[in-house]
Amino acid sequence: MMLAILHLLAMFVADLFKSRRRLEAENLFLRHQLRIALRRAPARLRLRGCDRALLVWITRIWPNLLDLSQVVKPETILRWHRAGFKAFWRWKSQHRAGRPKIDRELRDLIRQMSKENPLWGAPRIHGELLKLGFDAAESTVSKYMVKHRGPPSQTWRTFVCTENLIRRRFRFLASKIPVPAPKFPVPPK
């Protein structure tokens, strides 16, 4: 596409130095060649994107050339121009939406802190980041934290196993300690 535009500009500059009669003869010759080509062409020509862009660009600079269009209808060129304008502004406006992204360093630091300290939550990591001088919201910290597979607290199974171990140790210790006799009389059964 760029080469086509550069070629067109070079031809335009070269035409500035030609006589008016030569330009009229060249124009007549090119129009005749165009009529011959259009007679042999299929019903619908397949144009490349660079051809469309070039036609839109030329008719944007010289709007009176729209009426001279032979290959495509003037309405088609205007439709291409509108579509290009619409695509440009859609592209231009899509980059401004949403929160600004945080640096990769900060994301990696959040992940590292949450991996190394699995019991720390987002508020704790957020506080540590503030102490280090990083300014990020707590919701951003929770978004980039590593999700741990296990539950945050002990499971019931762990609780029951720990409780049984404590009871067994207590029974063992209780059996080794001598129990003193009561100081008050115990009634017989």
Side-chain angles (χ1 to χ4, degrees), residues 158-170:
T158 309
F159 173 74
V160 170
C161 288
T162 307
E163 196 64 30
N164 285 338
L165 182 65
I166 291 171
R167 286 182 186 197
R168 272 191 246 127
R169 286 182 183 168
F170 183 71

Side-chain angles (χ1 to χ4, degrees), residues 134-152:
F134 291 104
D135 188 27
E138 190 176 316
S139 59
T140 305
V141 171
S142 65
K143 177 180 175 183
Y144 291 110
M145 282 179 60
V146 173
K147 307 296 182 207
H148 299 288
R149 288 187 161 216

Side-chain angles (χ1 to χ4, degrees), residues 110-118 125 146 148:
I110 292 170
R111 287 190 182 107
Q112 180 186 354
M113 289 174 83
S114 66
K115 274 183 191 174
E116 292 175 359
N117 307 298
I125 293 176
V146 173
H148 299 288

Side-chain angles (χ1 to χ4, degrees), residues 13-62:
V13 171
D15 287 346
L16 290 176
F17 299 107
K18 293 180 183 175
S19 70
R20 183 162 177 85
R21 286 217 184 261
R22 172 154 168 87
L23 287 176
E24 288 175 357
E26 190 175 322
N27 198 358
L28 183 65
F29 182 69
L30 289 173
R31 280 182 188 267
H32 183 65
Q33 286 182 32
L34 179 63
R35 282 193 202 105
I36 292 170
L38 287 177
R39 270 187 271 156
R40 292 184 173 187
R44 183 172 181 196
L45 291 175
R46 296 224 179 248
L47 296 176
R48 293 181 291 184
C50 59
D51 298 329
R52 292 177 183 175
L54 192 60
L55 286 173
V56 167
W57 182 68
I58 290 172
T59 55
R60 182 85 174 129
I61 293 173
W62 295 289

Side-chain angles (χ1 to χ4, degrees), residues 171-189:
R171 276 192 220 129
F172 176 75
L173 289 175
S175 67
K176 299 292 181 187
I177 299 174
V179 180
K183 295 185 180 179
F184 53 90
V186 180
K189 289 187 182 184

